[in-house]
Each structure stands twice: as C-alpha cells, then as structure tokens.
Amino acid sequence: MQWMALDTWIVVVGALCAMSCALLGNYLVLRRMSMMGDAISHAVLPGLAAAYLLTGSRDSVTMFAGAAVVGVLTALLVQGLYRLGRLEEGAAMGVVFTSLFALGLILLRQAADHVDLDPGCVLYGAVELSPLDTIRLWGWDVPRAAIVNGATLACNALFVLLFYKELRLSSFDPALATALGINAQVMHYLLMTLVAATAVAAFESVGSILVIAMLIVPPATAYLLTRRLGVMIGLSLVLAALSALLGHLSAITVPGWFGFSDTSTAAMMAVAAGAIFSVACFAKSCYAWGRRGIERMSFSLRSVGEDVLAALYRRREAGDEAPVSAGALRAALARPGWTALALWDLARRRAVTRLPGGYALTPAGLRQAEELVRSHRLWETFLVNIAGQSPADAHGSAMRVEHVIDAAMQSELARQTGFPELDPHAKPIPRGSSSGGEP
Amino acid sequence: MGDSLTRLLFLSDYNTRVVVAGTLLFGAGAGLVGTFLLLRRRALLTDALAHATLPGIVLAFMLFAALEGGGKRLPILLVGAALSALVGMLAVVLIRRFSRLADDAALGIVLSVFFGLGMALLGMATRMETGHAAGLSSFIYGKTASMLLFDAVLIGVVALAVVLGCLLLYKEFTLLCFDSDYAAAQGWPVLLLDILLMFLVVTVTVIGLSAVGLILVVAMLVIPPSAARFWTHRLSRTLMISAAVGALSGGLGAGASALAQDLPAGAIIVLVAAALFGFSLLFGTERGLVKRAREAARLRRRIEEQHLLRAVYELLEGGKLGSAPNFPDYPLMFPPSTPKLGADPNFPGQEGVPISALLEARSWHPRQLRRAMRRATGRGLIAVLPGDACTLTTEGWNEARRVVRNHRLWELFLITHADIAPAQVDRDADRIEHVLDPDMIRKLEALLPAQTAGIPASAHELAGRGGAS
Amino acid sequence: MNAAVPLHISDLTVAYHRKPVLWDVNIALPEGKLVGLVGPNGSGKSTLLKSVLGLVPRSSGRILVYGKPATRNRALVGYVPQRETVDWDFPVSALDVVVMGLYREIGWCVPVRRRQKEKALAALETVGLAEYAHRQISQLSGGQQQRVFLARALVQDARLYLMDEPFAGVDAATEQAIIALLLELRAAGRTVLVVHHDIQTVPTYFDHVVLLNMRVVAQGPTEDVFTEENLRRTYGGKLTLLSDAAEALARRGAQRG
C-alpha cells in the first residue's frame, strides 16, 4: 500500500461529505425519519436531471436549486399523501421516492446525450477521481469537491448552531414547539431542504450510497453511545470522519487480500460505518451484560451474607447463643450456595467472628442483623395488614424483599403499618437504629 | 420503430411475449404480497431487503465465476440474493432487539450498509477476468431486455407460486395484519405467520430484481396496494385491484421497455405504476380526492344554504312579526296549493328581510351570500323581493323551520348536557347541526323532553336584533 | 387440578423490562359468574388477561383453564381486546371481523364457508348489528365497534370469556346491550372476567370481584369483598410501596419470580 497526497485528499473529501450528512442525520434519527433521508437522497435525482435539461449546465447553483425544489417537493408530497390520501407514512414515502427516482432515471437517460452523467455514477460517485479536478485557492490546489462539501458542511453547521434549541425542541416535542411559537413545520421543511442540498453536494463526489449511509449510520451509532444531544452530534461527526478514513484504507487494502487491486471507496466508507456500528452495538451489549452480571453476583453474595446474619440472629432470638458451624448455617439457609465466600466476606467486614465452635455475630453484625430482620418483619406486616396477603405467602416475599429495603423505605413501612411491635407470626420486630421516629 | 411497435402490440415476438407474461405475473404477486405487507405496516421493509440482496448476488456471481468460469446464471444469483436478504432481515431484527434504535434507523442502517457492501464487492467483481460482471448492474436498475427466455419462465412460475401462497393463506394473513394479538390468543403461531409473509416478500422481491431492479422493486410492493386503497373498503377487492395494478404496470412497463431499449426497464414499470396510482388518488371511488372534494363541496353548499335559511328565519322571527303570538305555531305544512307567497295573508314572511340585514347577521362575504342566495333561489327555497330584500318560499319556510329546530335542539343539548356557556353555543351548534340525522334528532328530543314539538326559542341573543336593542 | 374451575392462576409473576407488573398473583374463578376485575391504572389488569392468553411472557406461575394449562385449552377461552388495539381503518367489514372468531375452527388454508358466515351473522344479530354486517368497520360508531368485538368472541362459543374494558368509551345503549349480553352468558353457564374501570357500577354488574393492584388485594362475592376498606387498600396509594420494592428488586436484577 502506498499513501499519497491523492489519498489524503480522497479521505478529506469523503470525511467532509460524511460529516455534513451526519450532522443533519442526527435530527433524522431522533425524529424517527431515517427513511426520509433515504427517500430524499433518491428523490433529488429528477431535480438534478431537470436542472441539467433546462439549463444545459452542470454548475452548482442550478443543481442546488433543482435539489432544493425536489427536496421540499418530496417532503410536501409525502405529507400530502399522508394527510389527504390517508396513507401510512412509510407507504407514502415509498410511493413518492420510487416514482421520483424512476422519473429521474428516465430524465437522466434523456440528458445523457448532453452531459456525461450515468446512473452508476449517481450511486457510487467517483471520490477516487475528485482530487484531479482542482481549483487554485490561496496558492493551493484544492479539489473542487472538497470546497463544495466543505461549504455544505459549514452551511449545515451554521444551521444547526443557529437553530440548535429550536431543532432540539421540535425533534422531541413538535406540539410543545408549536405552542412556544416555533414553527415545527418550517423547521421540518428547512431540514428536508438542507438534506436534499447536502445530498446533491455529495452526489458527484461520493454517490448516493454514502449519502444514505452517512445520514443514518454515524448518528445511530452515536445515539447508542450517549443520551445527550450535544455529545451525540459531536460523536457522530467524529465517527463519520473515522468511517471515511477507515473506508478508504480498507478500499485500497482489503481487496488485496483476495487478489483484487482495489474497489469503490465510497462503498467501503459505507461498509466501514456499518462495521463501526456493529462494533459499538456489540460492545455496548457486552458491557451491559457484563455490568449486569457483576451487579447480580455481588448482590447475590450480599444477600447470602445477609441471610447468614439473619439466621444467626434468629438462633440468638431463640435463646441459642452458641457459635454456629458453617455446615449448620448452610443447612439453615434457603439458598446455601456461596455460604463459605459470604462468611469470609462477613468476617472481613467484622460482622461475624470465628470462634472455636463456629461463627457468632459481633456487635456490629448484630446491629446489621437487627435492621435486616426488622425490614423482613415489617414487610410481612405490610403485606398482611395492608396488601391483604396471607402470612404464609408473605414470608417468601419478605425473604427476597428484605435485601432491597433501604432506610427510607423501612421507616415508611413502619409508618404505614403503625409502628407494630409484633409481626404476623407474633415474632417481635427488632427496633432499628434508624427507627427513632416512633411516637 | 413503427415495425417494432406493431410487433410489440401483437406480441408477435415470442421472447417479448414470455418476458411480458413473466413480469405481469411478478406484478400480480407483488401486488398481493404488498397488500398484506402494507396492512402489517412494514411497507419500507422491502426497501431494506431489496438493497440487502446486492452482496448476495455479487458473492454468488464471484463464487461461481471462480468455480466454473461463468457465473451469470439467474437461479444461482437469485438464491444468493434471497440468502443475503434473509441475513439483512436478521440484521434488522437483531438491531431492533439489541439496541434502543427505532425501526426506521434499523432499516436505514441495513439498507445503506448492505448496499455499500454489495457495491464494494461489485467494484471487485468488475475487475475479475472471468464472467461478465458488467451485466450484474442490470440488477440495480432492472433490464427486461437482458432477460433470457428461461429467466422469464422462472420468474413467472415463482410469481404464480407466490400468488397461490397468498390465496391459500388469505385468511391467516388477514387475521395477522388486523389483530395479531387476537390471532395469538386464538393459538395461531403469529411468529410463523410473520415469517411466512416475510418469506413471500423476500421471494417476490428477489424475482423482481431482474425486471425492476433492486432500488425500485419496493415500488411494486408499495404502489399497487396504496392505489387499491382508494377504490374499495373490502380486503378481497383491495387484493384484486392491487394485483391488477401490479400486473398492468409490470406488463405494460415490460412491453414499453422492449420498445425503448436504452431506458431502464425498472423506471418505466414504476412510472406506469405511479401513473396508475395518481389516477387512483384522484378518481378512486372510495377515497379518491375528486370524490372527497365533491362531497366536501356538497356539504359546504348545504351548510351555506342552511345558514342562509336560518338567518332569514331568525330575522323574520326577530322583526315585527316576532311578537305575533301565532308565529311559532304557524303550521308546518303550508298549503301546497299556494305556489308563491302572497296568497296567504297570515304568512309571516310577507315582508321579507333586507339583504343588508342578512349581511350583518352573519359574517359572510357579500360574494358568498350572493352565491348562496342564487343557489337557494334556484332550488325554490328563497324568493327575491323588490328593493333588495328576500323572503322564504313555502318550501323554504318548511325547510328553515326544520333547520332552525335542529340548530336550537342541539344548542339546548349543549347547554343542558354538555355544560357550555350559552355565548359559545352558537359556534359549536353551527358545526354539528348540519350533519344531524333523524336518528340523532330523535335522541335529542328524548333527552330534552320539553322540546318534542315546535321550535324552541333561541338560547342566546340573536345577532340580528341583539345588537340593535 | 380441578377441572371445574374455569380459571385458576397460581403464583403468577409477570415483568416488563424486568419490572414486575403482576407479583405472586393467585386467582380462582367460580364457574358461571360475572367477575369484575377492578384496580387502578397500571395495576396489571390487562396484563393479567394477556398472560392468561399467553400474549405476554410470564416469569413464573401456573395458569389453568378448566384444569389444563391455558395454552392447551384455548378453544374454551373467548377474548375481547381493547378497542384501541387495532387499526379500524382496516379494509374489512363487521361480518369479516366476526368470522375471525371461527378461523381456528376452520383451520389452516381452508376458506370461510357459508355456514360460518351464517353463524357470524347470527352473532351480529345477538349484539343488534345485523343490519351493519357489510359496513366497513371504520364506518361504525365506537360502541358498535365494541359490539363487533363482542360478537367475534361470542361466535367462538367459549366457556370462559376475558373482556378488556368493554365499557370504555361506549354510549349508554351499547353499555346496556353489553350488560344484557353478559347476563345471557351467565344464564348459559359461561364465566366472564371483565376488566372494569367504573367503580360505581361494579356492585350492579358483577357477582364476583377481583381487586387487583399488582397483587390480588381481595377476591370473592361482590357483597363480601367490594367494601370500602378493600377499595381503599386497592386504590389508596399505600400500595405504592409494593411497586417501590418491585423496582428495587428489578434494579438489583434479583427478580427471580
């Protein structure tokens, strides 16, 4: 592999284009209109073709005008079919963009005699060739595509900065936005126009695949990783640029592994974005599973430890203050797994001490056990007196719930059950340390 | 050109005939499957699936090109396409299951990434020495001309199988789309049914690739059923019309593209479908825009007429005859022998009301009032008197009494049963009164037992005299 | 288990996203009674019906319909879902919807025959909608739509009916029609479990009441169970501690049913 200045320009063009798409794409993903991006980037085709046919020129102004008109037209037609035709939104989109795209293909074929633009180019563009078409700017030979896409990115950034809070509000709650005097409809059409213009700017250099991919994939990846809009936008821009870099790298390296020279850079950029998404999705799921598993394990360990404390307390309550062996404890527990580990943990925390005959509660352990048994018996009382359960059912539930009752819940339970002395099984409820609120 | 046109019209070319028949059957199958897909609210799933077929097509091509030297055999490519579409569908399901992204984003991701992968593979395949990879791009835009006889027959047969599948599972799919919870409660395997439906969707998408191309094949599953919804409210007819629209656009489009070889066939087929959709949107007998516009116009005219009649009546009522004790009880059945007013000296509308007063009574535009008056005069409800005044004819009188009565019953109902301030009532009553049917009026009368006969007095100050006094 | 008990639920726990909606629910319905299932919003009433029908996965518990697991005795259960669950713009007529109640009986791939249509028409007649049989369902009023759903359940000729808020948003005429129908069902020995919202009408409509708020607060004959004390316990807000505890358990991932 040989990296040349050419390659740098290809990556720069790709990255600029990807970033300008991703910037707007954030709002499409948030508004659940991702497929609208797909629809518009297909539908601008007749706008382009008509602009060529009408003016016979390929200059940018005509193209942007054509695209803007068609972008708004698409959005209007979809809305119209949805409202007037009572079609489901997805179906309305499907009808509109396929019809427009078909029309665009025919027009393009008519225009093909005058301009060199073929449908294939529309799909995957020619980002590889973009560095060849340069403009001299401040003594530099800058590719025209870089300037066009850079300008689009600047335009989109300006739009997002200017209307940041309006866009945010109308994405999350269009009704509230309207109530506050922000015209959500206008924001919608502005956004659609910009998407169309961005699609046109990107068309020539990278083609429509990359437009659709970059509109949706980097923002969706960012959406997975964060819940804050500002972070999401920033992250999506970084991911878009990264996709461009990785895409070009893999376009010139990966085919080599299979005996090919290279392949379409734009297509590989889309694949790279997809790969990044998959990795993010997979890593996030793994992380969530792992964290949940560790939490569950530590909770189980704590539960067993608490069960041990409660068992020791109950023996003590029954008048048997002798130390208890680990084996006897294991037999007394409903879930005896990990008892040894739990005992070690309790000993480490100085809640139990190891005596010659087995384990016994320390004063600290006794306090903890009292809290626990208090929670248990209060919960039983609550279930029986307030929720109408039978005392037999209540015990099983309390065995589970006692581990999650915190101080606030415990005092609330005590208050609601009227600060009882005895639980439904006529066992005394220990006074907790935090329960001084009794009248 | 002329020669080829006649050849086409009579389908004299055997090859063309088979291609048209195959595409026609594909259109019918797509119309049927698409109807269920649309009703299951998954219209755009096809778009993602169709784009996801590309890597499969190219991989199948590359594999067989490497093995035997020539990989462009349709059945093999289609199997590759179907497998890769299934992988795409699985990806959609996985994204939905393992992330908090919404459906649309899942579809968009699969669509663009799979298509990108396909294009990247295609970029490599075109650089292969064996085979003719260039022909693969006909799967993107569709090309009926390149279809071999065998391909067309294959497409036709598979489409026929899809049609049969839809007909066999008509009942099951209906239940699935209408109320999947109920289906599950009855013990239908909803997941299996969904998979069957998606299997048919993938099949029809894949056979459509070579005719319509993968970008536009979604159109054949979405446009025909959308068009059919404008014509009927019954599912069996929706299916028939949708299949017909699909078949027509497939057949016509394939025929037309045989004429214009250099135009992409998929685009032509879709444009035919779009034209049929546009026609349905406008002229559909059930939901067509023209029909709905005419209904809306008729209602608007009726509302205008009723407003006019009520305004005249209320002005008469509020004028000097308003105090006449016999006014409210004037017989509803005015003697039919009296063709025009004037014959009966007791008729309360003898004097008529000035049009200027009418203009004041409601906030209407003079042109609007004139139009309503012209129409009411034409229908014999209103008579224009000399001196820019008008009055009610016998029929107009009866009609006005009916209208006013409905209006005031509704007003009373709103005040007594819906707790609305009398001042607001007029506007609310205005909207509903025009659509009250006899059944509802009976109910209103039952609710307001004091009002079974005669016209109740207005609940609020009438505009015509309220302002003056 | 006892094959004479129409519905026997034991230790049922159902969780959405690991947060329990129903928690150790035990219910046994007597045969041939109209049973009201009453509880505040979000107390798991609809979820209870859905778990009987196997529409939501349950974390634990056993559900028996006439002595057999509910999923194996589906033919004995008729279901009336909430009206909002379907798209009423769907292109089917009232008759088509009612015939859906017979689809299971008709079987795979076999088309609907005249005999079944007549049966469905008779069911529509019972709910007073015979003249609307061929109307598209969007052209029916809310109450009429509800009655179409009832007819669909009726045509199944089930022994146990589960109805999810059939009285929600219907006019007085429909409410009376539904009540008449319920009484008829009871006279024919059917058992009907109705999710109900309006506490005022419970004593007049139902013989038997289940008060639900995540757990069963009380169940039994209306005159014994439908007391102010029990209602206060169901609706009083004290039971929020239940959901607090459930949430705490879910957070710790310790919910094992």
Side-chain angles (χ1 to χ4, degrees):
Chain A
M1 185 189 99
Q2 235 181 342
W3 192 267
M4 294 180 293
L6 209 67
D7 294 294
T8 312
W9 275 126
I10 291 176
V11 170
V12 166
V13 170
L16 284 174
C17 164
M19 284 157 77
S20 62
C21 290
L23 191 56
L24 298 180
N26 282 299
Y27 294 100
L28 293 183
V29 169
L30 283 177
R31 292 170 156 218
R32 316 202 149 188
M33 295 194 320
S34 308
M35 292 307 274
M36 199 65 194
D38 173 40
I40 285 200
S41 54
H42 278 106
V44 287
L45 198 56
L48 284 184
Y52 285 142
L53 281 180
L54 286 179
T55 62
S57 78
R58 281 184 65 168
D59 75 273
S60 306
V61 180
T62 357
M63 277 181 358
F64 281 118
V69 169
V70 175
V72 174
L73 187 71
T74 311
L76 276 174
L77 280 176
V78 170
Q79 281 287 312
L81 282 186
Y82 175 64
R83 295 244 170 86
L84 285 178
R86 295 189 214 162
L87 277 182
E88 182 210 335
E89 214 157 13
M93 249 182 247
V95 171
V96 171
F97 92 80
T98 53
S99 306
L100 284 175
F101 189 72
L103 185 69
L105 277 182
I106 303 277
L107 286 178
L108 208 60
R109 205 42 80 93
Q110 297 300 315
D113 304 336
H114 316 290
V115 272
D116 50 334
L117 193 88
D118 72 309
C121 177
V122 169
L123 285 182
Y124 45 81
V127 70
E128 295 89 343
L129 303 179
S130 62
L132 303 181
D133 178 12
T134 57
I135 291 176
R136 234 181 139 66
L137 205 66
W138 300 303
W140 288 65
D141 277 331
V142 180
R144 206 172 55 87
I147 296 171
V148 171
N149 282 309
T152 322
L153 177 60
C155 240
N156 291 348
L158 192 68
F159 170 71
V160 169
L161 281 178
L162 275 181
F163 296 106
Y164 186 75
K165 58 179 192 307
E166 285 84 357
L167 275 169
R168 184 170 60 181
L169 195 56
S170 54
S171 297
F172 285 113
D173 191 347
L176 179 65
T178 311
L180 291 179
I182 298 163
N183 195 330
Q185 284 288 323
V186 170
M187 294 314 291
H188 173 77
Y189 287 114
L190 262 178
L191 187 62
M192 293 302 129
T193 313
L194 277 183
V195 168
T198 308
V200 170
F203 251 154
E204 262 193 302
S205 40
V206 299
S208 70
I209 327 167
L210 195 60
V211 173
I212 305 168
M214 290 304 158
L215 274 174
I216 304 168
V217 185
T221 316
Y223 180 75
L224 282 186
L225 299 177
T226 176
R227 280 174 191 267
R228 291 182 36 210
L229 180 60
V231 181
M232 177 178 162
I233 291 177
L235 200 56
S236 71
L237 291 178
V238 172
L239 290 174
L242 192 64
S243 308
L245 177 63
L246 283 181
H248 183 60
L249 267 179
S250 50
I252 53 179
T253 54
V254 174
W257 306 344
F258 302 100
F260 299 101
S261 59
D262 62 343
T263 185
S264 157
T265 294
M268 281 314 279
M269 287 178 179
V271 175
I276 293 176
F277 172 79
S278 315
V279 169
C281 201
F282 184 72
K284 179 140 198 265
S285 296
C286 285
Y287 173 70
W289 281 334
R291 205 183 59 182
R292 212 179 301 144
I294 289 171
E295 269 175 8
R296 196 174 294 175
M297 260 160 59
S298 73
F299 178 70
S300 293
L301 186 64
R302 217 192 76 208
S303 299
V304 174
E306 289 179 349
D307 286 347
V308 168
L309 291 180
L312 287 172
Y313 178 88
R314 291 201 175 88
R315 280 197 174 228
R316 210 182 142 97
E317 192 181 35
D320 179 4
E321 302 222 4
V324 188
S325 72
L329 270 174
R330 198 170 286 128
L333 293 183
R335 293 170 297 162
W338 298 3
T339 310
L341 191 60
L343 276 171
W344 173 81
D345 186 46
L346 288 173
R348 187 181 59 84
R349 289 183 2 228
R350 308 208 187 289
V352 295
T353 51
R354 189 168 185 166
L355 298 174
Y359 294 89
L361 289 169
T362 64
L366 180 65
R367 268 200 305 282
Q368 215 185 326
E370 274 176 346
E371 286 294 325
L372 204 68
V373 173
R374 177 176 168 78
S375 291
H376 178 102
R377 292 182 179 167
L378 279 175
W379 180 251
E380 281 184 331
T381 316
F382 173 79
L383 283 187
V384 172
N385 292 358
I386 311 282
Q389 300 280 304
S390 75
D393 287 345
H395 178 74
S397 167
M399 283 307 288
R400 277 183 274 131
V401 173
E402 63 182 4
H403 303 297
V404 296
I405 292 179
D406 55 15
M409 233 169 119
Q410 195 190 61
S411 57
E412 177 65 18
L413 274 173
R415 201 183 57 76
Q416 288 206 10
T417 47
F419 304 99
E421 296 286 334
L422 295 177
D423 78 352
H425 306 283
K427 295 244 181 80
I429 296 175
R431 295 267 184 97
S433 54
S434 60
S435 59
E438 188 177 349
Chain B
M1 178 74 189
D3 182 42
S4 63
L5 186 64
T6 46
R7 276 166 63 93
L8 181 79
L9 280 180
F10 295 102
L11 292 179
S12 54
D13 190 350
Y14 181 68
N15 206 22
T16 315
R17 211 184 311 168
V18 175
V19 168
V20 167
T23 323
L24 193 134
L25 277 173
F26 155 70
L32 288 183
V33 178
T35 308
F36 288 117
L37 195 69
L38 190 70
L39 291 174
R40 193 95 180 94
R41 301 185 164 268
R42 300 213 174 128
L44 286 182
L45 181 64
T46 333
D47 199 22
L49 290 187
H51 282 77
T53 57
L54 190 60
I57 295 175
V58 185
L59 273 180
F61 167 80
M62 287 164 86
L63 208 63
F64 276 81
L67 288 181
E68 342 179 323
K72 254 196 84 202
R73 296 239 303 276
L74 189 66
I76 293 165
L77 298 184
L78 292 192
V79 169
L83 288 178
S84 133
L86 290 177
V87 174
M89 184 137 64
L90 194 68
V92 172
V93 173
L94 283 179
I95 293 175
R96 231 186 268 170
R97 171 74 186 74
F98 288 107
S99 74
R100 54 198 178 90
L101 286 169
D103 270 15
D104 63 306
L107 291 182
I109 290 168
V110 167
L111 181 152
S112 56
V113 173
F114 272 68
F115 193 55
L117 183 64
M119 283 315 240
L121 288 171
L122 192 63
M124 293 187 224
T126 46
R127 291 164 176 82
M128 275 173 91
E129 290 131 34
T130 49
H132 293 283
L136 285 183
S137 60
S138 72
F139 282 103
I140 297 174
Y141 296 109
K143 198 167 189 187
T144 45
S146 68
M147 236 192 257
L148 300 175
L149 197 59
F150 171 75
D151 301 346
V153 172
L154 177 79
I155 289 170
V157 169
V158 175
L160 210 57
V162 168
V163 171
L164 277 179
C166 274
L167 294 183
L168 271 180
L169 292 171
Y170 169 73
K171 177 168 104 276
E172 287 78 6
F173 284 161
T174 312
L175 186 56
L176 173 76
C177 298
F178 176 60
D179 193 349
S180 58
D181 263 8
Y182 185 76
Q186 272 206 326
W188 290 101
V190 167
L191 186 67
L192 177 69
L193 284 173
D194 251 336
I195 290 173
L196 279 174
L197 180 59
M198 291 308 137
F199 176 74
L200 289 180
V201 168
V202 168
T203 311
V204 94
T205 307
V206 165
I207 61 167
L209 291 182
S210 49
V212 189
L214 57 85
I215 298 181
L216 288 175
V217 71
V218 58
M220 293 302 284
L221 280 103
V222 173
I223 296 182
S226 303
R229 299 281 324 250
F230 292 106
W231 294 99
T232 175
H233 274 319
R234 290 178 51 185
L235 185 58
S236 49
R237 283 194 202 147
T238 308
L239 284 168
M240 277 190 268
I241 294 170
S242 171
V245 170
L248 206 60
S249 26
L252 278 181
S257 71
L259 265 185
Q261 295 275 356
D262 60 329
L263 292 182
I268 298 179
I269 293 175
V270 170
L271 279 185
V272 174
L276 289 173
F277 174 83
F279 181 76
S280 309
L281 172 70
L282 287 179
F283 304 109
T285 47
E286 204 53 67
R287 288 179 174 185
L289 290 186
V290 170
K291 185 203 175 209
R292 296 220 323 259
R294 278 167 67 173
E295 271 171 5
R298 200 176 305 140
L299 181 65
R300 203 186 54 237
R301 277 203 300 274
R302 196 164 109 211
I303 291 176
E304 262 181 16
E305 179 183 289
Q306 295 188 350
H307 281 164
L308 178 67
L309 291 178
R310 187 158 62 83
V312 176
Y313 182 94
E314 278 174 353
L315 282 171
L316 287 171
E317 184 188 38
K320 60 182 174 181
L321 286 158
S323 55
N326 63 340
F327 177 78
D329 295 325
Y330 193 81
L332 195 59
M333 291 305 295
F334 199 74
S337 56
T338 321
K340 269 253 169 207
L341 53 145
D344 186 344
N346 286 331
F347 184 68
Q350 280 292 359
E351 291 290 309
V353 290
I355 287 172
S356 54
L358 270 178
L359 261 177
E360 263 169 46
R362 292 193 71 86
S363 55
W364 34 25
H365 196 269
R367 189 147 14 108
Q368 195 185 2
L369 175 62
R370 231 178 354 259
R371 196 174 55 204
M373 280 186 63
R374 188 156 3 101
R375 223 175 273 127
T377 321
R379 294 198 348 115
L381 298 173
I382 278 201
V384 179
L385 301 177
D388 257 2
C390 68
T391 189
L392 297 165
T393 64
T394 313
E395 283 143 66
W397 173 251
N398 289 341
E399 178 66 13
R401 278 180 62 99
R402 196 184 62 77
V403 168
V404 171
R405 183 159 184 275
N406 285 354
H407 176 79
R408 293 193 184 162
L409 275 176
W410 184 245
E411 277 184 347
L412 274 174
F413 169 77
L414 286 181
I415 292 169
T416 50
H417 287 78
D419 288 334
I420 292 179
Q424 289 176 1
V425 157
D426 198 20
R427 290 214 67 82
D428 288 333
D430 256 15
R431 268 173 270 149
I432 309 283
E433 61 177 276
H434 309 288
V435 293
L436 287 177
D437 58 15
D439 198 36
M440 284 172 78
I441 291 166
R442 267 199 304 283
K443 277 185 195 157
L444 281 180
E445 285 172 353
L447 276 173
L448 307 162
Q451 310 294 345
T452 35
I455 299 177
S458 180
H460 52 89
E461 296 265 288
L462 288 171
R465 56 179 169 169
S469 57
Chain C
M1 283 307 287
N2 192 350
V5 180
L7 181 63
H8 190 124
I9 300 176
S10 36
D11 297 328
L12 175 69
T13 296
V14 177
Y16 280 135
H17 304 297
R18 300 189 301 139
K19 186 179 162 187
V21 182
L22 293 171
W23 207 10
D24 290 344
V25 165
N26 292 292
I27 292 175
L29 296 188
E31 184 159 29
K33 291 276 168 31
L34 300 182
V35 186
L37 181 57
V38 182
N41 280 332
S43 58
K45 302 185 297 285
S46 295
T47 308
L48 183 74
L49 296 200
K50 285 185 181 163
S51 55
V52 171
L53 295 159
L55 299 182
V56 292
R58 49 181 198 255
S59 313
S60 71
R62 198 165 50 155
I63 300 172
L64 298 177
V65 171
Y66 285 103
K68 277 196 205 154
T71 39
R72 284 206 280 136
N73 246 349
R74 283 185 201 278
L76 300 183
V77 184
Y79 176 44
V80 181
Q82 280 185 29
R83 193 152 45 88
E84 297 81 50
T85 52
V86 303
D87 168 24
W88 289 95
D89 220 14
F90 202 87
V92 286
S93 67
L95 186 66
D96 294 334
V97 175
V98 177
V99 173
M100 283 176 192
L102 294 168
Y103 276 10
R104 201 63 245 196
E105 185 187 315
I106 300 170
W108 281 90
C109 300
V110 181
V112 180
R113 283 175 299 250
R114 181 193 295 272
R115 189 160 49 83
Q116 281 115 12
K117 282 198 177 157
E118 278 163 4
K119 219 166 151 186
L121 204 57
L124 271 177
E125 183 109 49
T126 333
V127 297
L129 287 179
E131 51 184 317
Y132 298 104
H134 295 288
R135 279 233 192 142
Q136 201 256 335
I137 47 174
S138 68
Q139 294 163 353
L140 301 174
S141 72
Q144 288 166 337
Q145 290 173 346
Q146 190 67 60
R147 281 188 269 165
V148 169
F149 263 8
L150 276 173
R152 181 173 71 172
L154 282 184
V155 78
Q156 235 180 302
D157 201 23
R159 286 171 70 188
L160 168 68
Y161 285 97
L162 306 178
M163 304 187 178
D164 203 344
E165 302 214 13
F167 296 107
V170 301
D171 50 298
T174 301
E175 182 149 351
Q176 288 316 308
I178 296 175
I179 280 303
L181 207 68
L182 290 181
L183 294 176
E184 233 171 84
L185 285 172
R186 182 176 65 181
R190 311 288 195 245
T191 312
V192 190
L193 179 62
V194 182
V195 172
H196 196 60
H197 230 102
D198 180 15
I199 302 181
Q200 253 75 48
T201 49
V202 168
T204 47
Y205 289 174
F206 301 109
D207 325 315
H208 199 92
V209 179
V210 177
L211 292 170
L212 188 78
N213 191 348
M214 233 170 132
R215 290 168 179 261
V216 174
V217 178
Q219 57 179 319
T222 311
E223 59 271 28
D224 303 344
V225 170
F226 202 69
T227 59
E228 216 168 296
E229 167 65 20
N230 278 339
L231 277 178
R232 206 169 30 241
R233 278 162 55 176
T234 316
Y235 286 87
K238 281 196 166 185
L239 294 183
T240 49
L241 267 178
L242 274 180
S243 49
D244 286 351
E247 254 179 74
L249 272 181
R251 243 194 339 265
R252 302 313 191 107
Q255 183 60 37
R256 279 160 318 188

